Amino acid sequence: MGDPMFDQGLIDAYVAAGWWGTETLGDVVARHAASRPDAPAYIVVDDDPPRVLTWARYHECSSQLAAVFAQAGLEPGDRLGVVLPDGATVHAVLVAAEKAGLVAVGIGARAGRAELRHLLVRTGATALVTHEDLLGQPAGDLVASLHGDGLPGLRHVVVPDVLDFPDSAVLVDGSPVEPPGAAAAAGLLSGRALGPDELFMINSTSGTTGLPKCVLHTENRWFYFHQLAAEAGALTSDDVFFGAVPAPFGFGLWTAHFSPGVLGSPTVLAAKFDVERTLRAVVAHRVSMLACVSTQFIMMLNSPLFDQLDLSSLRVMFTGGEAVPFARAAAFEDRTGAKVLQFYGSNETGVLSGTRLTDSRERRFGTAGRVIEAMQVRVYDDRGVQMTGTPLVGVPACKGPATCVGYLDDDDANAQLFTDDGWMLMGDVVEIDGDGYLRVIGRTSDIIIRGGKNISAPALEAEIAEHPDVDLVAAVSMPDETFGERVCVYLCTKGGVALTLADITTFLAARGVGREQFPERLIQLDALPRSSGGKVAKGELRADIRHRLAAE
């Protein structure tokens, strides 16, 4: 329908290599609907008993919703904001957008109002899809406020839980609409569907400054990622997935949208991660492939239920988003029998390296796996010169079938993301040994990773600096056994006014900052330490919070 996001010669080469294909996920779902109509695609465990979306209903509902979008006047190429909790509905809406020729703007269900507005404005979204409630208030009220805040023409589509559709109505700008019949829907959607090399999604990524940047995705990059995952974990249609990472983000896209979609495997989902519900769902549904960030599996290990339940159905766990702690990963393996695997990459790069079932425990926990040949991984020194020899130590970059297109309309950010000759850079310092195994040894970007969630320290500092009593502020990571890192804020105030953590979080909430960005400790000083260049000496602050924690 639209122009491909990559050069046609590159597309042809990737297809010829077998890395990319010519089908979309909608095509794959339609095929499963024909061959296994009554088999479960999604099992939603928020309710008791759990509710099931079959492959036939997945295909039917996504087609009906696509027709509703078209009937409502959304044009091919329009940007469609999607803010939905994890569950079957968000996946049906993403496929519906694809069928209607719309570009989904994937926004985390817990994004703050400021982030929501930024992403809708930045992407030029013409409509927003939500449930009836959003961010703890009626979604219609929030959209009305957005109309007066720079988004006057934003359409609002309220979708029910897909498991209640079409018995529960879809609302378009507050009015219920009747989904068209099959023949009318086919007519409305004729010629509109996206192709696998076209822009199908824009999602966000945390930067080191400002609000999130917008990442451009094609479907084929995630089909390729699926190939890597299936090979690394020997995944088949017999596997039962549990996706604990939200779908709008890269990890959640491949583990709950693309990989089970390609395989025709059932995926167990819940709107919010809950340790007890997750563990019981693993048992009840004989989950064999668990996808979660390290914080989540550590929380499972810490649960009294972990040793009380039979978790032997688990065969493999893919984790990531943060460092994988050796001892905890080993305990998970010893107590379940499941192998712990990970990929190293980002929302932008997709993947540079990964571990496999055949790797030793030392390799799987002590490294981020072997570099992937097709991704043409390079390492640069601090002058931007490509390094040779072994081991390689420096900033990694890649160019291959798993990368995104780049950032939306952001020349400055793209200039930092790409080298002059088109290799995509990571924000880490790594070491690659003579056998090709990659180990992360540091981060160049000022990002705090709390439970797999990237939190930009400069962006948070900029928000807190707006407080009328704050003079200077610095946000740093503090180590945490469960979450890996938490956010600690150091500040000094004007005139020595005393501020509490509650004062700061209340202020951030009023500014529309999402709760996941909130600091969890506040330390007020008379002055912040400075480096010789006059900058705040964050190294001293990180050392200080570690000393304080050790003393406590």
Side-chain angles (χ1 to χ4, degrees):
M1 186 203 71
D3 295 327
M5 298 299 292
F6 289 94
D7 174 80
Q8 190 60 48
L10 188 66
I11 294 171
D12 293 341
Y14 286 171
V15 171
W19 298 330
W20 286 5
T22 57
E23 284 189 315
T24 64
L25 190 62
D27 296 328
V28 175
V29 170
R31 194 167 63 247
H32 293 322
S35 63
R36 57 183 79 186
D38 298 324
Y42 291 103
I43 302 167
V44 183
V45 295
D46 295 309
D47 298 319
D48 189 16
R51 307 177 73 196
V52 172
L53 182 72
T54 65
W55 289 105
R57 286 290 293 155
Y58 187 9
H59 174 54
E60 179 184 6
C61 290
S62 57
S63 295
Q64 288 179 311
L65 287 171
V68 168
F69 296 153
Q71 187 175 251
L74 299 182
E75 297 293 337
D78 279 355
R79 311 288 168 79
L80 180 71
V82 178
V83 187
L84 294 167
D86 246 22
T89 306
V90 68
H91 297 282
V93 167
L94 293 180
V95 174
E98 172 211 305
K99 291 179 177 181
L102 307 175
V103 178
V105 180
I107 303 173
R110 297 170 66 184
R113 183 178 176 279
E115 181 179 347
L116 173 64
R117 180 192 175 279
H118 165 75
L119 293 173
L120 293 173
V121 171
R122 189 75 183 80
T123 59
T126 57
L128 176 66
V129 176
T130 71
H131 285 324
E132 288 190 11
D133 294 312
L134 179 62
L135 303 180
Q137 67 180 99
D141 293 349
L142 181 57
V143 171
S145 72
L146 291 171
H147 286 162
D149 193 20
L151 291 162
L154 185 70
R155 309 287 302 278
H156 185 207
V157 181
V158 173
V159 295
D161 189 311
V162 72
L163 295 164
D164 298 323
F165 179 75
D167 295 332
S168 294
V170 174
L171 304 179
V172 177
D173 296 329
S175 300
V177 297
E178 193 73 28
L188 283 165
L189 299 177
S190 178
R192 289 183 61 127
L194 297 173
D197 306 311
E198 296 175 305
L199 178 64
F200 95 99
M201 173 178 274
I202 304 171
N203 69 7
S204 62
T205 190
S206 296
T208 57
T209 59
L211 286 161
K213 296 186 284 290
C214 299
V215 182
L216 305 172
H217 299 263
T218 64
E219 288 197 358
N220 257 333
R221 71 177 300 224
W222 293 110
F223 282 127
Y224 173 67
F225 203 122
H226 160 70
Q227 291 183 37
L228 299 176
E231 185 178 359
L235 303 176
T236 72
S237 59
D238 293 329
D239 280 304
V240 178
F241 287 62
F242 189 108
V245 183
F249 307 109
F251 193 5
L253 278 175
W254 81 259
T255 56
H257 196 61
F258 283 97
S259 275
V262 173
L263 295 170
S265 300
T267 302
V268 180
L269 294 173
K272 293 182 180 179
F273 177 74
D274 176 86
V275 173
E276 180 175 332
R277 181 165 48 207
T278 298
L279 291 171
R280 293 193 185 281
V282 168
V283 176
H285 301 287
R286 302 297 294 165
V287 170
S288 59
M289 200 292 257
L290 174 64
C292 59
V293 297
S294 299
T295 295
Q296 291 169 325
F297 87 74
I298 291 171
M299 292 171 70
M300 293 183 215
L301 275 171
N302 291 341
S303 170
L305 272 180
F306 194 87
D307 290 320
Q308 298 173 19
L309 299 175
D310 177 9
L311 304 174
S312 61
S313 64
L314 285 175
R315 188 179 61 78
V316 60
M317 177 180 71
F318 279 95
T319 190
E322 53 198 328
V324 178
F326 195 113
R328 305 297 272 162
F332 191 94
E333 285 197 351
D334 292 340
R335 289 157 67 180
T336 64
K339 291 287 185 68
V340 176
L341 303 181
Q342 64 169 313
F343 286 115
Y344 168 69
S346 67
N347 196 18
E348 295 92 332
T349 61
V351 61
L352 285 78
S353 67
T355 54
R356 306 162 62 95
L357 292 177
T358 53
D359 284 324
S360 68
R361 177 173 281 189
E362 287 68 29
R363 292 291 199 189
R364 285 185 291 107
F365 303 161
T367 77
R370 182 174 282 165
V371 296
I372 294 162
E373 184 177 356
M375 293 304 294
Q376 306 179 69
V377 176
R378 294 178 174 180
V379 174
Y380 293 89
D381 65 16
D382 56 8
R383 298 167 298 165
V385 176
Q386 184 181 349
M387 304 181 68
T388 59
T390 55
L392 296 171
V393 178
V395 176
C398 64
K399 184 178 185 180
T403 60
C404 76
V405 182
Y407 297 127
L408 173 67
D409 300 331
D410 197 332
D411 292 340
D412 290 341
N414 281 320
Q416 294 179 24
L417 179 64
F418 291 96
T419 64
D420 291 340
D421 56 352
W423 260 252
M424 190 175 287
L425 293 159
M426 290 288 292
D428 301 310
V429 177
V430 305
E431 177 184 88
I432 301 177
D433 66 21
D435 294 323
Y437 282 86
L438 182 151
R439 184 171 63 90
V440 180
I441 59 178
R443 291 203 302 275
T444 61
S445 55
D446 200 353
I447 293 291
I448 300 165
I449 304 180
R450 183 196 186 280
K453 171 71 175 180
N454 288 357
I455 298 171
S456 166
L460 179 60
E461 291 161 357
E463 293 286 352
I464 296 174
E466 294 297 318
H467 191 288
D469 293 323
V470 170
D471 186 28
L472 190 64
V473 58
V476 299
S477 64
M478 58 180 180
D480 183 81
E481 184 176 345
T482 299
F483 289 91
E485 295 177 343
R486 292 181 187 260
V487 181
C488 176
V489 165
Y490 285 83
L491 57 77
C492 51
T493 61
K494 300 169 184 176
V497 173
L499 290 176
T500 66
L501 180 62
D503 293 331
I504 296 300
T505 56
T506 300
F507 175 75
L508 291 173
R511 290 179 62 81
V513 176
R515 293 186 60 83
E516 290 180 321
Q517 312 288 325
F518 286 6
E520 293 170 271
R521 181 156 179 166
L522 174 68
I523 297 173
Q524 185 169 336
L525 303 176
D526 292 333
L528 300 189
R530 302 294 187 100
S531 67
S532 57
K535 295 181 179 179
V536 173
K538 285 196 171 183
E540 291 185 33
L541 296 180
R542 293 187 188 100
D544 178 75
I545 187 58
R546 282 160 175 76
H547 288 315
R548 290 174 187 260
L549 293 173
E552 292 166 4

